[in-house]
Amino acid sequence: MEEGYPFTGTGNLFKFVQGLISISVQNNVIVLFNNDTGGQFNFDRCRQLNVPANMQILKLPDLEEFRSFPTIGPGRSQLLDINGKAAALEYYLQLDEGACARWTSYNSALKAYQGALMNRDAYKNAFLAQQGRVDEYDYRKIEIVLEMPILSCVTMKESAAEAELKRQP
């Protein structure tokens, strides 16, 4: 995303989805939002659009282990539910016992703070540095994430095949 990607941020992703719908994009498209405050807000906005069958709007899943997650601020440290408020993609990687969400910007539309994983680059780099599957690494959460677009692709393909069969005499 940092190297010239033109649509950073969930607000721009929402606008991109609007644009794809307006030009009646023919390709199959999967849009995946983070499970944080900004992602939740724009996921909800996209679901209100007239999304065609060849486009799936997804959000990272709520996970039970995120229902009581260490957080910092504003004002204190506590265990809170970060589903829909902080759970960006890096939370689905293997985290250590020191993992913590820091509450940052406030979204007045959702009346909620946006959370960010402290030391997220360390978790990301540890994942990206792997040359293959590592026995000691816990892939459970990222596998759940990867299943979502795969299942959506299968569903879109099946729907297209059914529609094609109905068109045939």
Side-chain angles (χ1 to χ4, degrees):
M1 296 286 207
E2 295 159 356
E3 296 178 18
Y5 184 76
F7 302 108
T8 59
T10 60
N12 285 330
L13 184 55
F14 171 75
K15 290 177 186 175
F16 183 61
V17 169
Q18 286 179 307
L20 292 175
I21 292 170
S22 72
I23 64 168
S24 301
V25 66
Q26 298 301 303
N27 301 51
N28 289 336
V29 176
I30 294 175
V31 177
L32 179 60
F33 285 98
N34 279 331
N35 188 11
D36 58 10
T37 302
Q40 182 68 55
F41 177 72
N42 286 293
F43 171 74
D44 291 342
R45 290 173 68 199
C46 281
R47 292 183 53 114
Q48 294 173 9
L49 299 173
N50 188 18
V51 178
N54 63 313
M55 185 179 288
Q56 295 288 312
I57 309 296
L58 307 174
K59 176 184 66 74
L60 293 174
D62 287 359
L63 295 182
E64 188 62 35
E65 62 195 271
F66 294 159
R67 296 203 190 289
S68 182
F69 197 89
T71 66
I72 296 177
R76 63 181 173 170
S77 299
Q78 58 186 330
L79 297 175
L80 292 173
D81 186 349
I82 62 165
N83 286 303
K85 298 176 186 79
L89 184 59
E90 58 270 11
Y91 285 84
Y92 296 81
L93 301 175
Q94 177 177 295
L95 304 178
D96 58 31
E97 291 179 14
C100 186
R102 177 174 293 283
W103 299 115
T104 56
S105 60
Y106 185 75
N107 182 316
S108 58
L110 290 178
K111 297 182 175 123
Y113 282 92
Q114 171 79 28
L117 181 62
M118 294 175 60
N119 302 317
R120 73 179 190 160
D121 286 341
Y123 298 112
K124 177 185 73 170
N125 292 338
F127 178 76
L128 294 175
Q130 297 176 36
Q131 297 297 309
R133 194 165 182 97
V134 177
D135 290 337
E136 304 81 40
Y137 196 89
D138 183 0
Y139 296 97
R140 288 176 297 131
K141 294 181 292 188
I142 200 69
E143 286 171 345
I144 292 168
V145 169
L146 293 172
E147 287 173 4
M148 293 176 63
I150 291 169
L151 290 174
S152 287
C153 288
V154 169
T155 300
M156 284 191 291
K157 186 70 171 172
E158 288 173 348
S159 296
E162 287 175 17
E164 182 62 32
L165 286 173
K166 288 179 182 177
R167 283 193 291 269
Q168 293 178 0

